[in-house]
Amino acid sequence: FPVTIGSEAIGQTINEIYHNSKGYIYLISLLMKLSDLLDGYHPMIARLFNAALLGGCSVITYSIAKKISLSVKQAFNCAIIAGLFPIMIFVGVQTLRDIPIAFMMLLSVYFSISLIRSNGFFKSIFWILLFAPLVLVIIEFRLTNAINIGIVLLAAISVKMFSIRNISNMQIDRKS
């Protein structure tokens, strides 16, 4: 069947108002259109995309481990375990939305750690603005994970606002 990218084409195939994976269907149809440039669509293209995102999960896991001050060896072991975990490989070779969601969840953790560790107001705003498109994309993939990312964002903002560093800089006026 011909696949066109656009809300009308996908809206015609998905009749439910609250379908929980419209974003993934958009992604697969985009991959199908892009694969027309490579001599037609094959289901392996979506699997290769999942495999690339699984590799990205390993890279982000390594970056998160380094941001929380683990040694290079520990960070490497975390990345290898995250990338070669059997269930991740099993899901990664299928055309499922779990690997892109795991990638976006790890990205949100990386953004939140960067937000907490940022020093300036504008850097904090920058990291918050990076969260916004991520939340919008994940809403289209799975709404419950968007709620989880929202909770991570709120936790990061509250930690940033009420961190020990900020509280310790406040001066307490004592009456002598």
Side-chain angles (χ1 to χ4, degrees), residues 20-119:
N20 67 356
S21 64
K22 280 185 182 177
Y24 191 66
I25 294 172
Y26 277 116
L27 177 66
I28 294 299
S29 55
L30 179 66
L31 288 173
M32 289 175 77
K33 274 300 189 188
L34 290 176
S35 65
D36 284 344
L37 300 173
L38 302 171
D39 198 29
Y41 177 74
H42 192 276
M44 192 60 118
I45 291 177
R47 293 178 179 138
L48 289 174
F49 181 76
N50 275 354
L53 286 183
L54 185 58
C57 286
S58 294
V59 171
I60 292 175
T61 302
Y62 181 84
S63 300
I64 290 170
K66 290 300 292 173
K67 275 197 175 286
I68 60 173
S69 302
L70 293 180
S71 70
V72 174
K73 185 177 180 180
Q74 290 171 328
F76 179 76
N77 289 339
C78 289
I80 291 295
I81 290 170
L84 296 178
F85 203 64
I87 192 67
M88 295 294 276
I89 293 172
F90 177 74
V91 170
V93 298
Q94 299 178 26
T95 311
L96 299 173
R97 63 185 172 172
D98 297 300
I99 298 297
I101 288 174
F103 179 77
M104 287 185 271
M105 293 293 285
L106 284 171
L107 207 57
S108 71
V109 170
Y110 180 80
F111 287 166
S112 65
I113 291 172
S114 299
L115 171 66
I116 291 169
R117 294 187 176 219
S118 63
N119 291 329

